[in-house]
Amino acid sequence: MIDYFKMIKDIIKKHKFLLSVFVVSVAMGGFLFSYFSYNIVALVDGKIIWKKDMDETVNLMIKYYDTDSHHSVTEISDSEFFQDKDLLNRMQKEALARIIDYKILISELEKINPDWKDLATAKIDDAISQTESADKFEEGIKAIYGMSFNDFKSKVLMPQAQFEIISDELKNDGKEYDQWLKDEKKKTEIKIFIDGLMWKDGEVVID
């Protein structure tokens, strides 16, 4: 009579290393799947939008609106926007829409003006030079938005400079930015992976 238990033990003993590799691979695969499933919020023509970037944009928007309405908060999570799920959902919708627009803008900018980085940096430096005091300006950014000046440059000033550059480039070609963007969004493959939000007719909408 065949001893199946002994047979299984012998197989495990003989292929212990390969089985260990297989188990680790399955475990890592599950971890990576969970990680990417949780952290990827959208794809724009295959380019990833990370949850971290969307959260940062939401926090920046909330900080701006709270400051604009004279509602000062020490922690973003204390904001009234986090107390109202519908409001927060609308903020996420707006934030994701902005990032998608930005992804499309950058893709086009790379095509039509490869030197855009130098031009954008020059625009930012010129704007900063016109402030009365660079030190006070940086202090104000820290106090109002709760971020370093370098972060403010990369997350606020740089996108604004990029927008101005591509608007000028499109104008030179006889195109208007809003209509161009609307047309591009219809041609772009966009997938959204956030509960409560979806892509429909070229826009982020609340599901």
Side-chain angles (χ1 to χ4, degrees):
M1 181 176 179
I2 299 174
D3 188 341
Y4 289 103
F5 289 108
K6 184 176 183 303
M7 184 183 295
I8 293 171
K9 287 180 181 178
D10 289 342
I11 292 173
I12 292 174
K13 186 177 181 181
K14 189 174 181 179
H15 301 286
K16 189 173 182 181
F17 174 74
L18 292 176
L19 286 170
S20 297
V21 172
F22 173 75
V23 170
V24 170
S25 298
V26 170
M28 284 299 295
F31 168 76
L32 290 174
F33 177 79
S34 297
Y35 175 83
F36 285 112
S37 297
Y38 177 74
N39 286 285
I40 295 177
V41 296
L43 293 174
V44 180
D45 275 345
K47 297 181 178 69
I48 295 173
I49 295 178
W50 296 101
K51 183 177 184 298
K52 174 180 71 69
D53 294 327
M54 190 191 72
D55 289 344
E56 286 180 353
T57 303
V58 169
N59 289 345
L60 183 61
M61 291 168 62
I62 288 174
K63 190 71 174 177
Y64 171 79
Y65 285 120
D66 280 332
T67 302
D68 193 50
S69 60
H70 308 290
H71 175 65
S72 179
V73 292
T74 55
E75 296 291 339
I76 288 292
S77 57
D78 292 335
S79 169
E80 62 181 296
F81 290 101
F82 275 96
Q83 316 311 317
D84 188 319
K85 295 302 180 184
D86 289 335
L87 273 175
L88 181 58
N89 199 218
R90 291 203 293 272
M91 295 295 282
Q92 289 176 327
K93 168 184 172 294
E94 179 67 22
L96 186 57
R98 290 188 184 190
I99 298 173
I100 289 172
D101 289 355
Y102 182 67
K103 288 281 188 182
I104 295 172
L105 181 155
I106 286 297
S107 179
E108 184 68 14
L109 201 52
E110 293 282 0
K111 298 176 190 174
I112 64 178
N113 193 335
D115 298 323
W116 68 265
K117 290 182 181 179
D118 293 337
L119 188 55
T121 299
K123 279 180 171 288
I124 293 170
D125 291 343
D126 181 61
I128 294 172
S129 68
Q130 295 181 37
T131 60
E132 293 184 4
S133 170
D135 290 339
K136 288 184 178 180
F137 181 67
E138 292 186 25
E139 290 174 4
I141 295 302
K142 178 69 174 177
I144 295 173
Y145 294 102
M147 63 171 61
S148 70
F149 180 63
N150 285 335
D151 282 345
F152 184 77
K153 282 176 66 176
S154 65
K155 295 172 184 175
V156 178
L157 298 182
M158 181 59 76
Q160 178 60 32
Q162 291 163 332
F163 166 74
E164 292 177 5
I165 293 168
I166 198 167
S167 293
D168 290 341
E169 295 283 355
L170 290 169
K171 191 178 295 183
N172 291 336
D173 289 338
K175 300 176 182 178
E176 192 269 327
Y177 176 80
D178 288 338
Q179 185 59 50
W180 167 83
L181 182 61
K182 185 177 180 180
D183 293 340
E184 285 298 309
K185 286 194 286 190
K186 289 179 180 178
K187 297 185 292 183
T188 305
E189 183 181 4
I190 296 171
K191 298 178 180 179
I192 295 176
F193 308 112
I194 304 176
D195 288 340
L197 297 180
M198 63 182 292
W199 185 255
K200 184 178 180 181
D201 299 328
E203 298 292 340
V204 180
V205 298
I206 295 175
D207 188 4

